[in-house]
Amino acid sequence: MPLVTLKEVLSFAEEKKTAIPAFNIDNMEITQSIMKVCEEENYPVILAIGQAAIRDGKMPLLAACARVLAKRSPIPVVIHLDHGQNLDQVRQALDCGFTSVMIDGSRLPFEENVAVSREALKLARTKGATVEAELGCILGVEDDISHDADKPFLVRTEDVKAFNEAVRVDALAVGIGNAHGIYKGLPNLDFERLSEVNDISDVPLVLHGGSGIPADMIQKAISLGIRKINVATEIRLSYIKGLQETVKSGDFYTMSDAGKAAVAELARAKIRLFKNGNA
Ligand code: 13P
């Protein structure tokens, strides 16, 4: 089916009280594997292309791969820019046929975050695409994106209110103690803050740093309005594990198939969790 935007998949998630996975795709095999599982699970998917893949020159290549797979697929698929760094990158992604972009202005002062998100929205709308913005900080380091540890990271409810009044994006990533990469110990998520934000925001909320968050916390986050959950590290690690387990075979397709199978197992578990018993 034709590609869709965040609007379609997040309103489905809102109706069902579920969350849609945004899986980072870093190569063709991972993309193939994720698409196959989502089709088997009959569940929408957001294929996210992030900064490491972009630095590796793969923005147009992965977008083309995703487009081909989506076109012949019966499930709704979004091609999404993860942590867009500036408006040039947003333009490039839109030119490559992305149907959704994130503009990550969370490192900027509030007014500048509003301004850059507004510009991203203008650019996206010329192509019928959607926009995700970020408030508060996602901790940890991923693809070289990190925040100062001493910077306040929890999203503030008053900022969400002011942000939504100033610019109407399609999804809002919120910092509630979540972090990119694997958590050391249990994640310390501030559900009270998430609940307060959810009470005053009608913009669908996004949880980054989905790798390693226990199932009960994911369920709680979904019950408090999280409608998109990003998973990158665990996808990459499962692919690597598949390759490592079969490296002695010395056979390209044995290893490739094992990488895909490991990704499929992980993605299936996430999808079933994110369905939250409702889809
Ligand atoms: P993880 O790598 O922790 O899964 O986070 C993914 C993410 O939030 C991408 O934006």
Side-chain angles (χ1 to χ4, degrees):
M1 75 186 271
L3 290 166
V4 299
T5 70
L6 286 186
K7 257 200 188 99
E8 287 91 337
V9 297
L10 298 186
S11 54
F12 169 85
E14 179 56 36
E15 186 193 319
K16 302 273 184 196
K17 304 295 176 215
T18 66
I20 307 298
F23 292 126
N24 280 65
I25 54 169
D26 287 282
N27 68 12
M28 191 172 67
E29 289 76 8
I30 290 176
T31 315
Q32 287 176 296
S33 176
I34 288 171
M35 283 298 298
K36 184 163 178 286
V37 170
C38 292
E39 285 165 14
E40 285 165 6
E41 292 292 321
N42 191 26
Y43 200 60
V45 67
I46 298 160
L47 299 175
I49 298 173
Q51 297 304 309
I54 290 171
R55 265 199 308 280
D56 197 25
K58 290 191 285 204
M59 183 197 271
L61 305 178
L62 290 172
C65 169
R67 203 164 38 243
V68 169
L69 291 170
K71 201 170 167 192
R72 60 187 194 211
S73 173
I75 57 162
V77 179
V78 181
I79 304 183
H80 180 74
L81 171 65
D82 192 28
H83 289 286
Q85 294 295 288
N86 51 52
L87 295 172
D88 266 351
Q89 205 173 61
V90 165
R91 267 188 217 100
Q92 283 164 24
L94 294 169
D95 286 346
C96 287
F98 285 50
T99 52
S100 185
V101 291
M102 176 183 188
I103 180 78
D104 183 353
S106 62
R107 248 178 268 105
L108 302 171
F110 180 82
E111 287 306 331
E112 288 177 38
N113 190 359
V114 167
V116 78
S117 301
R118 208 178 257 152
E119 287 306 310
L121 198 57
K122 264 193 223 154
L123 289 171
R125 289 299 191 255
T126 63
K127 306 258 184 166
T130 44
V131 172
E132 173 183 340
E134 179 173 321
L135 281 177
C137 292
I138 315 299
L139 299 169
V141 183
E142 182 166 284
D143 296 354
D144 287 346
I145 302 166
S146 64
H147 286 280
D148 297 343
D150 55 356
K151 202 179 160 202
F153 59 90
L154 271 191
V155 65
R156 301 184 329 161
T157 13
E158 57 270 37
D159 286 349
V160 173
K161 193 164 177 292
F163 193 86
N164 286 350
E165 278 164 13
V167 51
R168 295 292 297 178
V169 291
D170 305 288
L172 195 57
V174 288
I176 55 163
N178 42 325
H180 287 132
I182 294 295
Y183 293 84
K184 294 182 194 89
L186 271 187
N188 186 12
L189 303 185
D190 192 328
F191 288 113
E192 206 177 310
R193 183 64 56 91
L194 176 60
S195 171
E196 287 162 12
V197 167
N198 188 37
D199 283 348
I200 57 124
S201 176
D202 54 358
V203 176
L205 302 176
V206 179
L207 185 68
H208 281 243
S211 291
I213 300 182
D216 60 332
M217 290 192 189
I218 291 286
Q219 282 158 344
K220 181 140 196 196
I222 295 173
S223 78
L224 295 173
I226 292 292
R227 296 288 168 254
K228 167 179 180 278
I229 302 178
N230 291 18
V231 182
T233 304
E234 278 187 290
I235 291 282
R236 290 173 184 160
L237 290 179
S238 53
Y239 186 68
I240 291 171
K241 184 167 153 269
L243 298 185
Q244 283 171 335
E245 283 173 359
T246 48
V247 69
K248 284 210 175 99
S249 73
D251 182 70
F252 180 87
Y253 279 101
T254 303
M255 291 175 67
S256 174
D257 288 349
K260 284 189 197 172
V263 168
E265 190 183 332
L266 187 270
R268 195 182 306 281
K270 296 291 177 197
I271 293 165
R272 289 189 178 169
L273 177 60
F274 298 174
K275 280 180 173 178
N276 203 22
N278 295 331

